Amino acid sequence: MEYNGGSLAADHLCVLVHGLWGNPNHMRSIAKALRDAYSEDKLYLLVAKRNSGSFTYDGIERGGERVCLEIEEELESIRNKGGKITKLSIVGYSLGGLVARYAVGLLEMRGVLDEVEPVNFTTFASPHLGVRTPLRGWHNHMWNVLGARTLSMSGRQLFTIDDYRGTGRPLLAVLADPESVFMSGLRRFKRRTLYANVVNDRSATYYTTCIAKTDPYTDTSRIKPNYLKGYEDVILDPLNPVSLLTPKGSNKTLAEITTDGMSYLRNAPLMLAIAIFIPVGVAAFLFNSLVQTFRSSRRIQLHESGLAGIQVEKYRLPIWIKDLRGTVEDVYENLNTWQGESYLRASDDEGDDGNLNKADTRILALERKKSHSQFPTLALAPCQFTMIEELDKLGWRKYPVWIHNVRHSHAAIIVRSDTPRFKEGLVVLRHFVNEEFLI
């Protein structure tokens, strides 16, 4: 990574953390955008590398410990060479945003954030609420339960079916607990910013990347986008992202029928390809998942025993501010994007909530009452509603991003590879560097 590092004169360290199945090169365009704006004398860049490839299967906790160690080693290295870092910023992409949030808690716990000023915390297309699809009934069982078991520990955590350190709660719920070091650390940053794709993100959909209870973009024919001045056609105005269009009559004109027909014809080759190749791809994906899960379990054993280069006992101190005891990638994306969304409505039968405890049942009952007919509340899990409430209290600058030119907006939002198809992502990076990043 040619943009890694900086001058000893730089007092600001910015750490970049890639996502699931990722590697440092995925962060190249973000690193380049920052370097083009700020010289090596102003900004020191660290692109985290210890979680490359299948190492992202090992869980958010272990990923965060690796990133925390990298940051501490880099700060010590700069200090030993005569430099002095006084400011810290962290940028996470996709799963890297969650890994970064965990690392922030460890930095807080270990006193690092007392030695530097936390400035920017930014995520691009990061599933803050996990990747559990808002579904009910047997769909919930098929995707949210079975799908969770294809990505080793990271999968269980992303689908919120794990039990973090015997607390009886998923790790993502603990990450959003206001009494945890994770939230305490995140609260210290001067600015918390997120960028969320509104369409065509086959890995992490809008509601989870934007920390939202609703998704106004499920039917784009009903809305008119309102773009941010200077960043038209890509970044929506965060204060007024869309306007509702007046519903059309039920009778379609001949031109509309013709347009719909042509759309179906254009999609026919894609649907045929899916019908032919997806079964083969699923089999390959599941086999690869089995292999990677086995390898991940071996790495986890080495990590936990201290034989993977990290003294884990340094990162396993109490995470609470107070003592609260008892408390193959394309296939995955295609399967995820096939899932529809279910909603909570005031008329729902509360018996559909299953075997929830009283507290969770009350949460869902309250959210049903708040649900609006125009943009109904998604059928999220009770813990996800709690995450939204607590994370929103921190104050995020949220930017919806509308990538039009590709069906893979998850990669385009950060220009994950150097291709003209992802050029809309350059608009996002320009906004991040010029409008959001504080030096």
Side-chain angles (χ1 to χ4, degrees), residues 351-379:
D352 292 340
D353 293 343
N355 299 319
L356 298 179
N357 59 42
K358 290 183 178 179
D360 288 347
T361 301
R362 281 196 298 269
I363 290 173
L364 292 187
L366 180 60
E367 294 300 335
R368 281 196 187 90
K369 292 178 181 178
K370 295 178 181 178
S371 188
H372 194 279
S373 58
Q374 290 180 330
F375 298 126
T377 301
L378 295 167

Side-chain angles (χ1 to χ4, degrees), residues 74-104:
E74 197 71 23
L75 289 172
E76 183 179 6
S77 174
I78 293 170
R79 188 164 50 247
N80 290 340
K81 293 175 183 177
K84 183 173 176 58
I85 296 296
T86 61
K87 292 179 283 189
L88 175 68
S89 293
I90 302 181
V91 179
Y93 164 61
S94 191
L95 179 69
L98 301 179
V99 170
R101 282 175 54 196
Y102 197 97
V104 163

